[in-house]
Amino acid sequence: PPIRPEQVRTIELGYRTTLWKRLFVDMGYYFSRYKNFIGYQLGIDAFIPTGSALPTSVQAYRISSNARDIVTSQGFSIGLNYFFGEHYVFKGNYSWNVLNTQSDDPIIPAFNTPEHKYNVGITGRDLKVFGIKNLGFSVNYKWIDGFIFEGSPQFTGFIPDYNLTDVQVNWAWVKRDLTFKAGASNVFNQKSYQTYGGPLIVRLAYFSVLYEFKK
């Protein structure tokens, strides 16, 4: 049958607060209920001559289609920012996401979202080191749970757990309205796949100069 528009109803609950004038907390939960959830199905059109066990022609199809049953998803996240020493912030967040489908529904949902992932990091700003003012830095570590990546038929498979570390340093030349930044994502070059059938993700280093025009 023709594909129908996907409809979703979502309930979200959240809470934010600051504790002891130093710890900022942000947390939330959602529950979504999908009607006519859009995924895809695989099919084969084959011609098998009479008396033969093998087809003489085969055409595979990947067809977008609606789920027969109601599909639900839910998730939770929490983020913490702890400010200390006037110039430093310790940050962390965690999220949980899951999709629920009926086991007898042949639809392939292509949710492609890890169930668990978290980040931890620390940043500093307006620092003075060896007489040099207006320095800053950030270090962030992230971990992603392994998950099934569902793409096209030939690009569906399991993505193993992986983790990355990003670093960055910066210096503001206040008199010239310039900010210099240098850093690297995946600084330890921990090679990983983030999409099945895709390339390995490796280290990316960068340097930038930002000029801020005065009003």
Side-chain angles (χ1 to χ4, degrees):
I3 193 168
R4 299 180 298 280
E6 184 178 272
Q7 300 175 7
V8 60
R9 294 181 178 180
T10 301
I11 296 175
E12 297 182 6
L13 300 173
Y15 180 73
R16 293 178 179 175
T17 188
T18 300
L19 304 173
W20 312 295
K21 298 182 179 180
R22 288 186 177 275
L23 178 63
F24 177 73
V25 181
D26 184 1
M27 62 180 68
Y29 169 81
Y30 74 90
F31 181 87
S32 297
R33 185 177 185 271
Y34 293 87
K35 182 180 180 181
N36 298 326
F37 181 86
I38 297 177
Y40 67 88
Q41 297 189 40
L42 304 179
I44 294 178
D45 184 11
F47 175 72
I48 303 177
T50 303
S52 174
L54 299 175
T56 57
S57 65
V58 175
Q59 175 64 58
Y61 294 91
R62 179 179 184 269
I63 304 171
S64 296
S65 58
N66 299 109
R68 297 185 308 206
D69 303 304
I70 296 297
V71 174
T72 63
S73 66
Q74 59 180 330
F76 169 81
S77 66
I78 181 170
L80 304 173
N81 287 358
Y82 180 71
F83 299 84
F84 63 99
E86 297 184 3
H87 302 285
Y88 301 93
V89 183
F90 179 79
K91 301 182 294 183
N93 63 72
Y94 164 81
S95 66
W96 170 75
N97 298 277
V98 65
L99 182 73
N100 304 309
T101 59
Q102 296 294 327
S103 59
D104 60 346
D105 195 330
I107 195 170
I108 300 174
F111 189 52
N112 296 345
T113 301
E115 184 173 356
H116 306 281
K117 61 181 178 179
Y118 69 84
N119 295 264
V120 291
I122 184 172
T123 63
R125 59 183 179 84
D126 300 328
L127 303 176
K128 182 179 180 180
V129 180
F130 301 119
I132 303 175
K133 299 180 180 179
N134 304 314
L135 290 170
F137 75 93
S138 68
V139 180
N140 188 71
Y141 171 85
K142 62 181 69 174
W143 178 87
I144 293 86
D145 191 16
F147 63 100
I148 295 292
F149 184 92
E150 295 168 318
S152 59
Q154 65 270 37
F155 294 119
T156 293
F158 185 73
I159 301 294
D161 301 355
Y162 63 92
N163 59 85
L164 305 169
T165 303
D166 303 331
V167 298
Q168 181 240 301
V169 293
N170 59 78
W171 174 61
W173 191 3
V174 179
K175 292 183 178 180
R176 294 291 183 266
D177 303 312
L178 292 170
T179 301
F180 300 88
K181 294 183 179 181
S185 59
N186 192 16
V187 65
F188 298 117
N189 201 34
Q190 295 169 291
K191 299 177 181 179
S192 62
Y193 291 102
Q194 298 183 10
T195 59
Y196 191 81
L200 276 172
I201 303 300
V202 295
R203 180 192 302 116
L204 173 64
Y206 60 88
F207 176 78
S208 68
V209 179
L210 173 67
Y211 178 75
E212 184 175 355
F213 291 91
K214 293 183 177 180
K215 295 183 180 179

